[in-house]
Amino acid sequence: VQIEFRTLEDIRKCFPKIVGEDENVYVIVLCVVSRLNKNKDFWIMGIVIRGVSSAGKNHLAKYSIKPWELLGLVDDFSRLTGAYMERNFAKLSMDLNNKILVIYELAGNTPQQLHVVLSEGKLRVGVVDKDTGEPVEYVFEGVPFLLSTTPSESLRTDLLNRIVTVTINESDDQTKEIVKNDDLVAENPRLAKELNKQTEHRARMLATYLSQLRPHYVVVPYARILEKGIRKYHVNLRRDWKKVLAIIQASALLFQKYRPKITIDDEEVIVATFEDFQNMMKVFPILRQTLTKLTEPQKKLLDIMIEEQPESTQTLDDVSPEYQPIEWTASELTRVANKLGWAISDRRVRQILNELTGLGYVVVSKKSGKNYYMVINTADDVDFTPFEDEIKAAVKAYLEKHGIDYESCSA
Protein backbone atom coordinates (compact mmCIF):
# COMPACT_ATOMS: atom_id res chain seq x y z
CA VAL A 1 0.00 0.00 0.00
CA GLN A 2 1.41 3.37 -1.04
CA ILE A 3 0.74 5.96 1.67
CA GLU A 4 1.63 9.61 1.18
CA PHE A 5 2.53 12.33 3.64
CA ARG A 6 3.56 15.68 2.15
CA THR A 7 4.02 17.95 5.19
CA LEU A 8 4.98 17.82 8.83
CA GLU A 9 1.38 18.70 9.62
CA ASP A 10 0.30 15.49 7.84
CA ILE A 11 2.77 13.53 9.96
CA ARG A 12 1.52 15.20 13.15
CA LYS A 13 -2.00 13.80 12.61
CA CYS A 14 -0.61 10.31 13.19
CA PHE A 15 -0.25 10.99 16.94
CA PRO A 16 -3.81 11.73 18.16
CA LYS A 17 -3.07 10.85 21.79
CA ILE A 18 -0.46 13.59 22.08
CA VAL A 19 -2.10 16.90 22.98
CA GLY A 20 -0.19 19.92 21.66
CA GLU A 21 3.62 19.53 21.62
CA ASP A 22 3.63 19.93 17.80
CA GLU A 23 7.22 21.15 17.58
CA ASN A 24 8.42 18.34 19.84
CA VAL A 25 6.64 15.72 17.71
CA TYR A 26 8.14 17.21 14.53
CA VAL A 27 11.69 17.17 15.88
CA ILE A 28 11.44 13.62 17.28
CA VAL A 29 10.30 12.30 13.90
CA LEU A 30 13.00 14.23 12.02
CA CYS A 31 15.76 13.14 14.39
CA VAL A 32 14.88 9.44 14.00
CA VAL A 33 14.58 9.79 10.21
CA SER A 34 18.05 11.39 10.10
CA ARG A 35 19.37 7.85 10.45
CA LEU A 36 18.44 7.26 6.80
CA ASN A 37 21.23 9.62 5.80
CA LYS A 38 24.03 7.71 4.08
CA ASN A 39 26.42 10.35 5.40
CA LYS A 40 26.64 9.21 9.03
CA ASP A 41 28.29 12.49 10.03
CA PHE A 42 24.77 13.95 9.90
CA TRP A 43 23.12 11.32 12.05
CA ILE A 44 21.44 12.70 15.14
CA MET A 45 22.37 10.41 18.01
CA GLY A 46 19.25 10.86 20.08
CA ILE A 47 16.63 12.94 21.88
CA VAL A 48 16.29 13.67 25.58
CA ILE A 49 12.88 14.97 26.72
CA ARG A 50 13.17 17.15 29.82
CA GLY A 51 10.57 18.63 32.12
CA VAL A 52 9.20 18.76 35.64
CA SER A 53 7.64 15.70 37.26
CA SER A 54 4.21 14.68 35.88
CA ALA A 55 4.52 17.02 32.88
CA GLY A 56 3.99 14.18 30.38
CA LYS A 57 7.54 13.31 29.29
CA ASN A 58 7.00 9.54 29.21
CA HIS A 59 3.63 9.95 27.47
CA LEU A 60 5.27 11.96 24.68
CA ALA A 61 8.08 9.42 24.33
CA LYS A 62 5.76 6.40 24.37
CA TYR A 63 3.38 7.58 21.64
CA SER A 64 5.84 9.47 19.43
CA ILE A 65 7.98 6.35 18.97
CA LYS A 66 5.05 3.97 18.36
CA PRO A 67 5.43 3.74 14.52
CA TRP A 68 9.02 2.51 14.91
CA GLU A 69 7.92 0.14 17.65
CA LEU A 70 5.51 -1.44 15.15
CA LEU A 71 8.48 -1.87 12.80
CA GLY A 72 10.32 -3.85 15.51
CA LEU A 73 13.11 -1.29 15.94
CA VAL A 74 12.55 -0.27 19.58
CA ASP A 75 13.96 -1.65 22.84
CA ASP A 76 12.60 0.18 25.89
CA PHE A 77 14.07 0.16 29.39
CA SER A 78 13.17 1.66 32.72
CA ARG A 79 16.86 1.53 33.59
CA LEU A 80 19.96 0.60 31.61
CA THR A 81 23.31 -0.16 33.23
CA GLY A 82 26.74 -0.28 31.70
CA ALA A 83 27.18 -3.92 32.73
CA TYR A 84 24.00 -4.89 30.87
CA MET A 85 25.23 -3.13 27.74
CA GLU A 86 28.58 -4.89 27.90
CA ARG A 87 27.20 -8.39 28.40
CA ASN A 88 23.90 -8.42 26.56
CA PHE A 89 24.31 -6.19 23.52
CA ALA A 90 27.44 -8.02 22.47
CA LYS A 91 25.34 -11.16 22.06
CA LEU A 92 22.69 -9.55 19.88
CA SER A 93 22.92 -10.57 16.24
CA MET A 94 21.52 -7.29 14.86
CA ASP A 95 22.62 -4.02 13.36
CA LEU A 96 22.56 -1.54 16.24
CA ASN A 97 22.56 1.29 13.70
CA ASN A 98 18.89 0.45 13.15
CA LYS A 99 18.01 0.10 16.83
CA ILE A 100 16.20 2.67 18.98
CA LEU A 101 16.87 2.57 22.73
CA VAL A 102 14.11 4.12 24.83
CA ILE A 103 15.18 4.78 28.43
CA TYR A 104 12.58 6.25 30.75
CA GLU A 105 13.74 8.61 33.50
CA LEU A 106 17.40 8.72 32.48
CA ALA A 107 19.55 9.58 35.48
CA GLY A 108 22.42 12.04 35.64
CA ASN A 109 24.85 9.13 36.15
CA THR A 110 24.27 7.58 32.71
CA PRO A 111 26.62 4.71 31.95
CA GLN A 112 29.87 5.70 30.29
CA GLN A 113 29.39 2.82 27.85
CA LEU A 114 26.35 4.58 26.39
CA HIS A 115 28.35 7.75 25.79
CA VAL A 116 31.13 5.81 24.09
CA VAL A 117 28.89 3.88 21.73
CA LEU A 118 26.92 7.02 20.75
CA SER A 119 30.19 8.73 19.88
CA GLU A 120 32.39 5.97 18.51
CA GLY A 121 29.92 3.36 17.24
CA LYS A 122 31.88 0.56 18.88
CA LEU A 123 32.37 -0.76 22.39
CA ARG A 124 35.09 -3.25 23.28
CA VAL A 125 35.34 -4.29 26.91
CA GLY A 126 37.61 -6.77 28.63
CA VAL A 127 36.36 -8.25 31.94
CA VAL A 128 37.02 -11.25 34.14
CA ASP A 129 34.14 -13.73 34.35
CA LYS A 130 33.05 -13.85 37.99
CA ASP A 131 32.23 -17.58 37.79
CA THR A 132 35.19 -18.99 35.87
CA GLY A 133 37.81 -16.36 36.57
CA GLU A 134 38.69 -16.34 32.89
CA PRO A 135 39.16 -13.11 30.89
CA VAL A 136 36.23 -12.37 28.57
CA GLU A 137 35.98 -9.81 25.78
CA TYR A 138 32.70 -8.21 24.76
CA VAL A 139 32.42 -6.29 21.51
CA PHE A 140 29.44 -4.71 19.79
CA GLU A 141 29.26 -2.24 16.95
CA GLY A 142 26.76 0.27 15.65
CA VAL A 143 25.24 3.52 16.89
CA PRO A 144 21.75 3.06 18.34
CA PHE A 145 19.36 6.01 18.50
CA LEU A 146 18.64 7.14 22.07
CA LEU A 147 15.21 8.43 23.10
CA SER A 148 15.03 9.24 26.76
CA THR A 149 13.14 11.23 29.36
CA THR A 150 14.60 12.87 32.44
CA PRO A 151 13.55 15.27 35.17
CA SER A 152 17.20 16.18 35.57
CA GLU A 153 18.58 19.46 34.27
CA SER A 154 22.15 18.39 35.01
CA LEU A 155 22.87 15.61 32.53
CA ARG A 156 26.48 15.12 31.67
CA THR A 157 27.78 17.58 29.11
CA ASP A 158 29.30 14.86 26.92
CA LEU A 159 25.81 13.34 26.53
CA LEU A 160 24.12 16.69 25.86
CA ASN A 161 26.68 17.38 23.12
CA ARG A 162 25.62 14.23 21.27
CA ILE A 163 21.84 14.61 21.31
CA VAL A 164 19.00 17.09 20.83
CA THR A 165 17.14 18.20 23.94
CA VAL A 166 13.45 19.03 23.97
CA THR A 167 11.45 20.50 26.82
CA ILE A 168 7.85 19.62 27.65
CA ASN A 169 5.46 22.57 27.26
CA GLU A 170 4.76 23.60 30.87
CA SER A 171 2.48 26.54 30.02
CA ASP A 172 -0.95 27.08 31.55
CA ASP A 173 -2.54 26.96 28.08
CA GLN A 174 -1.06 23.52 27.43
CA THR A 175 -2.31 22.28 30.81
CA LYS A 176 -5.78 23.64 29.99
CA GLU A 177 -5.87 21.74 26.67
CA ILE A 178 -4.82 18.49 28.36
CA VAL A 179 -7.51 18.87 31.03
CA LYS A 180 -10.18 19.60 28.38
CA ASN A 181 -9.10 16.52 26.43
CA ASP A 182 -9.31 14.35 29.57
CA ASP A 183 -12.80 15.71 30.25
CA LEU A 184 -14.02 14.76 26.77
CA VAL A 185 -12.68 11.23 27.02
CA ALA A 186 -14.10 10.78 30.51
CA GLU A 187 -17.57 11.89 29.37
CA ASN A 188 -17.66 9.72 26.27
CA PRO A 189 -16.45 6.08 26.38
CA ARG A 190 -17.02 5.83 22.64
CA LEU A 191 -14.59 8.67 22.10
CA ALA A 192 -12.01 6.89 24.24
CA LYS A 193 -12.44 3.71 22.20
CA GLU A 194 -12.23 5.62 18.91
CA LEU A 195 -9.12 7.45 20.09
CA ASN A 196 -7.37 4.15 20.82
CA LYS A 197 -8.45 2.79 17.46
CA GLN A 198 -7.22 5.87 15.58
CA THR A 199 -3.93 5.86 17.48
CA GLU A 200 -3.21 2.30 16.35
CA HIS A 201 -4.46 2.85 12.80
CA ARG A 202 -2.49 6.03 12.18
CA ALA A 203 0.66 4.63 13.76
CA ARG A 204 0.45 1.71 11.31
CA MET A 205 -0.07 4.12 8.42
CA LEU A 206 3.03 6.08 9.36
CA ALA A 207 4.99 2.87 9.96
CA THR A 208 4.08 1.73 6.45
CA TYR A 209 5.21 5.07 5.01
CA LEU A 210 8.48 5.00 6.95
CA SER A 211 9.20 1.46 5.78
CA GLN A 212 9.03 2.68 2.17
CA LEU A 213 11.73 5.33 2.67
CA ARG A 214 15.24 4.51 1.48
CA PRO A 215 18.67 5.71 2.64
CA HIS A 216 20.20 8.48 0.50
CA TYR A 217 22.86 11.13 0.50
CA VAL A 218 21.39 14.65 0.68
CA VAL A 219 22.72 17.87 -0.85
CA VAL A 220 21.95 21.18 0.91
CA PRO A 221 22.67 23.82 -1.78
CA TYR A 222 22.32 26.68 0.72
CA ALA A 223 24.51 25.38 3.57
CA ARG A 224 27.03 28.23 3.26
CA ILE A 225 24.21 30.78 3.14
CA LEU A 226 22.89 29.48 6.45
CA GLU A 227 26.30 30.08 7.97
CA LYS A 228 25.74 33.82 7.54
CA GLY A 229 23.11 33.58 10.27
CA ILE A 230 25.67 32.59 12.91
CA ARG A 231 26.32 35.57 15.16
CA LYS A 232 28.95 34.01 17.39
CA TYR A 233 31.32 31.14 16.72
CA HIS A 234 31.80 29.12 19.90
CA VAL A 235 33.33 25.71 20.38
CA ASN A 236 29.93 23.96 20.73
CA LEU A 237 29.22 24.71 17.07
CA ARG A 238 31.86 22.17 16.05
CA ARG A 239 29.30 19.49 16.91
CA ASP A 240 25.97 21.34 17.16
CA TRP A 241 25.98 23.06 13.75
CA LYS A 242 25.71 19.64 12.13
CA LYS A 243 22.39 19.16 13.92
CA VAL A 244 20.88 22.14 12.07
CA LEU A 245 22.05 20.75 8.73
CA ALA A 246 21.00 17.22 9.79
CA ILE A 247 17.41 18.34 10.41
CA ILE A 248 17.23 19.91 6.92
CA GLN A 249 18.56 16.70 5.39
CA ALA A 250 16.17 14.61 7.52
CA SER A 251 13.24 16.64 6.16
CA ALA A 252 14.39 15.89 2.61
CA LEU A 253 14.68 12.19 3.50
CA LEU A 254 11.24 12.14 5.15
CA PHE A 255 9.60 13.64 2.06
CA GLN A 256 11.98 12.08 -0.45
CA LYS A 257 9.16 11.10 -2.81
CA TYR A 258 8.54 14.79 -3.48
CA ARG A 259 12.10 16.09 -3.56
CA PRO A 260 14.26 16.54 -6.69
CA LYS A 261 17.02 14.01 -7.22
CA ILE A 262 20.28 14.17 -9.14
CA THR A 263 22.95 11.60 -9.93
CA ILE A 264 26.45 11.96 -8.48
CA ASP A 265 29.03 9.23 -9.17
CA ASP A 266 26.28 6.90 -10.43
CA GLU A 267 24.27 7.29 -7.22
CA GLU A 268 20.90 8.98 -6.76
CA VAL A 269 21.15 11.94 -4.37
CA ILE A 270 18.28 13.99 -2.88
CA VAL A 271 18.37 17.79 -3.09
CA ALA A 272 17.06 19.66 -0.04
CA THR A 273 14.66 22.41 -1.06
CA PHE A 274 13.34 25.61 0.53
CA GLU A 275 10.53 23.51 2.06
CA ASP A 276 13.15 21.60 4.05
CA PHE A 277 14.58 24.90 5.33
CA GLN A 278 11.04 25.86 6.38
CA ASN A 279 10.63 22.55 8.21
CA MET A 280 13.88 23.18 10.06
CA MET A 281 12.62 26.62 11.07
CA LYS A 282 9.45 25.05 12.51
CA VAL A 283 11.61 23.23 15.05
CA PHE A 284 14.35 25.84 15.40
CA PRO A 285 13.17 26.94 18.87
CA ILE A 286 14.11 23.42 19.97
CA LEU A 287 17.41 23.46 18.09
CA ARG A 288 18.18 26.77 19.80
CA GLN A 289 17.98 24.91 23.12
CA THR A 290 20.63 22.54 21.81
CA LEU A 291 22.85 25.33 20.47
CA THR A 292 22.70 27.36 23.69
CA LYS A 293 22.40 24.38 26.08
CA LEU A 294 19.37 26.17 27.58
CA THR A 295 15.98 24.59 28.16
CA GLU A 296 12.89 26.65 27.39
CA PRO A 297 12.25 27.56 31.07
CA GLN A 298 15.90 28.57 31.47
CA LYS A 299 15.76 30.75 28.34
CA LYS A 300 12.45 32.26 29.45
CA LEU A 301 13.78 33.24 32.88
CA LEU A 302 17.01 34.58 31.39
CA ASP A 303 15.00 36.76 28.98
CA ILE A 304 13.00 38.19 31.89
CA MET A 305 16.22 39.05 33.73
CA ILE A 306 17.53 40.85 30.63
CA GLU A 307 14.37 42.56 29.40
CA GLU A 308 12.51 43.43 32.61
CA GLN A 309 13.31 45.49 35.69
CA PRO A 310 12.92 44.46 39.35
CA GLU A 311 9.92 46.18 40.91
CA SER A 312 11.28 46.68 44.41
CA THR A 313 14.64 45.01 44.86
CA GLN A 314 17.46 47.44 45.44
CA THR A 315 21.10 46.46 45.03
CA LEU A 316 23.54 47.48 47.69
CA ASP A 317 26.34 48.66 45.41
CA ASP A 318 27.44 52.16 46.30
CA VAL A 319 27.28 53.51 42.76
CA SER A 320 25.00 55.89 40.92
CA PRO A 321 21.75 54.30 39.60
CA GLU A 322 22.60 54.83 35.94
CA TYR A 323 25.66 52.62 36.28
CA GLN A 324 24.15 50.08 38.64
CA PRO A 325 23.89 46.53 37.23
CA ILE A 326 20.50 44.84 37.29
CA GLU A 327 20.45 42.37 40.15
CA TRP A 328 17.54 40.14 41.06
CA THR A 329 16.44 38.18 44.08
CA ALA A 330 14.61 34.93 43.41
CA SER A 331 11.43 36.22 45.06
CA GLU A 332 11.43 39.36 42.91
CA LEU A 333 11.89 37.28 39.76
CA THR A 334 8.97 35.10 40.84
CA ARG A 335 6.73 38.16 41.27
CA VAL A 336 7.64 39.62 37.87
CA ALA A 337 7.32 36.25 36.08
CA ASN A 338 3.85 35.70 37.53
CA LYS A 339 2.84 39.26 36.66
CA LEU A 340 3.84 38.49 33.04
CA GLY A 341 1.52 35.47 33.04
CA TRP A 342 4.01 32.71 33.86
CA ALA A 343 2.62 30.75 36.81
CA ILE A 344 5.87 29.59 38.39
CA SER A 345 6.74 28.91 42.00
CA ASP A 346 9.54 30.53 43.96
CA ARG A 347 11.12 27.10 44.44
CA ARG A 348 11.18 26.47 40.68
CA VAL A 349 12.70 29.91 40.04
CA ARG A 350 15.50 29.18 42.50
CA GLN A 351 16.14 25.83 40.83
CA ILE A 352 16.41 27.45 37.38
CA LEU A 353 18.67 30.21 38.73
CA ASN A 354 21.03 27.56 40.11
CA GLU A 355 21.06 25.86 36.70
CA LEU A 356 21.81 29.15 34.92
CA THR A 357 24.62 29.79 37.39
CA GLY A 358 26.12 26.39 36.66
CA LEU A 359 25.87 27.02 32.91
CA GLY A 360 27.71 30.36 33.21
CA TYR A 361 24.84 32.65 32.26
CA VAL A 362 24.28 34.09 35.74
CA VAL A 363 26.44 34.93 38.78
CA VAL A 364 25.22 35.06 42.33
CA SER A 365 26.44 37.24 45.20
CA LYS A 366 25.30 37.31 48.82
CA LYS A 367 24.50 40.66 50.44
CA SER A 368 22.94 41.10 53.86
CA GLY A 369 21.93 37.45 53.90
CA LYS A 370 20.21 37.53 50.50
CA ASN A 371 21.28 36.03 47.17
CA TYR A 372 21.39 38.48 44.25
CA TYR A 373 21.57 37.18 40.68
CA MET A 374 22.98 39.05 37.69
CA VAL A 375 23.19 38.06 34.00
CA ILE A 376 26.76 37.88 32.67
CA ASN A 377 26.12 36.05 29.39
CA THR A 378 23.32 36.04 26.84
CA ALA A 379 22.05 33.30 24.56
CA ASP A 380 23.23 34.58 21.20
CA ASP A 381 20.60 33.51 18.69
CA VAL A 382 21.20 32.31 15.18
CA ASP A 383 19.02 34.25 12.74
CA PHE A 384 18.34 32.86 9.27
CA THR A 385 15.32 34.96 8.27
CA PRO A 386 17.28 37.70 6.41
CA PHE A 387 18.54 35.07 3.95
CA GLU A 388 15.32 33.36 2.83
CA ASP A 389 15.33 34.87 -0.68
CA GLU A 390 18.99 33.95 -1.06
CA ILE A 391 18.19 30.37 -0.05
CA LYS A 392 15.43 30.12 -2.66
CA ALA A 393 17.77 31.50 -5.32
CA ALA A 394 20.49 29.01 -4.36
CA VAL A 395 18.09 26.06 -4.72
CA LYS A 396 16.85 27.33 -8.08
CA ALA A 397 20.38 27.85 -9.44
CA TYR A 398 21.54 24.43 -8.24
CA LEU A 399 18.61 22.58 -9.79
CA GLU A 400 18.82 24.44 -13.10
CA LYS A 401 22.54 23.69 -13.20
CA HIS A 402 21.58 20.00 -13.15
CA GLY A 403 18.86 20.39 -15.75
CA ILE A 404 15.89 20.35 -13.37
CA ASP A 405 13.09 22.90 -13.69
CA TYR A 406 12.77 24.70 -10.36
CA GLU A 407 9.15 25.75 -10.89
CA SER A 408 7.97 22.18 -11.45
CA CYS A 409 9.68 21.11 -8.19
CA SER A 410 8.06 23.96 -6.28
CA ALA A 411 4.65 23.01 -7.61
Side-chain angles (χ1 to χ4, degrees):
V1 177
Q2 292 296 315
I3 297 175
E4 296 187 357
F5 295 95
R6 291 182 175 271
T7 67
L8 286 176
E9 289 74 18
D10 292 340
I11 298 287
R12 175 64 185 87
K13 294 174 184 176
C14 293
F15 305 94
K17 275 205 171 182
I18 300 175
V19 178
E21 305 289 358
D22 292 355
E23 293 176 356
N24 286 340
V25 172
Y26 295 159
V27 81
I28 290 170
V29 171
L30 289 170
C31 285
V32 180
V33 171
S34 76
R35 308 304 288 265
L36 291 174
N37 200 326
K38 283 192 172 182
N39 187 346
K40 294 182 180 180
D41 288 342
F42 292 99
W43 280 12
I44 292 178
M45 301 303 175
I47 290 257
V48 170
I49 304 170
R50 300 198 282 190
V52 297
S53 178
S54 302
K57 302 181 297 294
N58 290 352
H59 181 85
L60 176 60
K62 176 182 177 181
Y63 286 101
S64 62
I65 207 64
K66 190 171 180 62
W68 289 275
E69 187 177 28
L70 293 173
L71 293 173
L73 301 177
V74 176
D75 275 344
D76 60 331
F77 301 88
S78 297
R79 179 171 173 262
L80 181 66
T81 67
Y84 178 89
M85 291 184 65
E86 291 174 2
R87 289 165 173 78
N88 190 63
F89 283 11
K91 304 173 185 177
L92 299 178
S93 57
M94 65 177 67
D95 182 4
L96 288 179
N97 287 329
N98 296 323
K99 206 66 179 171
I100 300 171
L101 301 181
V102 179
I103 307 176
Y104 295 107
E105 304 299 334
L106 187 70
N109 58 341
T110 52
Q112 178 64 24
Q113 293 90 334
L114 181 61
H115 298 236
V116 172
V117 75
L118 289 176
S119 179
E120 307 300 330
K122 182 177 181 178
L123 187 63
R124 181 179 180 185
V125 181
V127 296
V128 175
D129 189 284
K130 63 179 181 180
D131 296 323
T132 65
E134 296 295 322
V136 180
E137 183 178 280
Y138 296 104
V139 180
F140 70 90
E141 298 190 25
V143 183
F145 183 90
L146 171 68
L147 175 63
S148 181
T149 65
T150 177
S152 173
E153 303 288 3
S154 56
L155 290 175
R156 290 169 48 166
T157 302
D158 55 350
L159 178 61
L160 290 176
N161 286 340
R162 288 168 171 79
I163 50 87
V164 170
T165 59
V166 305
T167 305
I168 287 289
N169 185 348
E170 300 175 9
S171 70
D172 293 349
D173 288 342
Q174 170 70 359
T175 301
K176 182 179 179 180
E177 289 302 313
I178 292 173
V179 170
K180 286 171 61 179
N181 186 75
D182 290 341
D183 291 343
L184 291 172
V185 174
E187 291 174 352
N188 189 346
R190 290 177 178 172
L191 178 60
K193 183 178 180 180
E194 180 62 23
L195 186 59
N196 288 331
K197 180 180 177 181
Q198 285 298 317
T199 297
E200 185 72 19
H201 173 65
R202 297 182 189 185
R204 289 189 179 279
M205 286 180 61
L206 183 53
T208 300
Y209 177 81
L210 293 169
S211 70
Q212 295 168 358
L213 302 179
R214 295 293 175 260
H216 282 83
Y217 286 99
V218 182
V219 172
V220 183
Y222 43 86
R224 282 183 287 181
I225 298 173
L226 291 174
E227 189 183 339
K228 296 179 181 180
I230 300 175
R231 294 178 178 177
K232 181 180 178 181
Y233 286 85
H234 51 81
V235 69
N236 289 340
L237 282 176
R238 298 182 185 183
R239 188 185 295 265
D240 292 340
W241 181 245
K242 286 183 178 179
K243 295 172 185 174
V244 175
L245 297 173
I247 289 294
I248 293 173
Q249 294 182 61
S251 172
L253 288 162
L254 180 59
F255 303 109
Q256 59 184 249
K257 297 181 181 180
Y258 318 107
R259 296 297 183 259
K261 300 175 182 65
I262 62 174
T263 300
I264 298 179
D265 295 334
D266 298 324
E267 182 164 12
E268 186 178 70
V269 176
I270 299 172
V271 179
T273 63
F274 183 70
E275 287 76 16
D276 300 310
F277 165 77
Q278 290 177 308
N279 286 341
M280 183 275 291
M281 291 300 294
K282 289 176 183 177
V283 302
F284 189 71
I286 296 171
L287 294 178
R288 184 184 288 122
Q289 295 179 36
T290 300
L291 293 171
T292 62
K293 299 296 182 285
L294 292 176
T295 65
E296 193 61 31
Q298 291 168 349
K299 177 69 163 56
K300 193 172 183 178
L301 194 67
L302 188 65
D303 287 343
I304 291 175
M305 297 178 73
I306 295 170
E307 298 169 4
E308 304 295 328
Q309 292 283 340
E311 293 179 345
S312 61
T313 300
Q314 298 294 321
T315 61
L316 303 179
D317 293 335
D318 187 20
V319 293
S320 58
E322 60 266 28
Y323 296 106
Q324 199 172 57
I326 299 175
E327 295 181 315
W328 295 83
T329 63
S331 58
E332 184 63 20
L333 261 174
T334 304
R335 281 196 295 272
V336 173
N338 278 271
K339 186 176 180 180
L340 294 171
W342 184 12
I344 186 171
S345 67
D346 184 70
R347 180 180 180 182
R348 178 66 172 143
V349 166
R350 294 177 189 276
Q351 179 187 4
I352 296 174
L353 284 170
N354 290 335
E355 294 160 4
L356 290 171
T357 302
L359 290 168
Y361 286 93
V362 170
V363 292
V364 58
S365 58
K366 187 177 286 291
K367 302 173 184 178
S368 300
K370 288 186 177 181
N371 285 336
Y372 286 83
Y373 299 88
M374 183 174 66
V375 175
I376 59 171
N377 195 9
T378 59
D380 293 306
D381 288 339
V382 177
D383 186 9
F384 303 119
T385 53
F387 311 105
E388 290 187 358
D389 289 340
E390 199 171 345
I391 289 170
K392 291 179 183 177
V395 174
K396 180 179 180 180
Y398 188 85
L399 292 177
E400 291 179 349
K401 176 183 175 182
H402 289 85
I404 301 174
D405 179 51
Y406 174 75
E407 299 301 330
S408 63
C409 293
S410 301

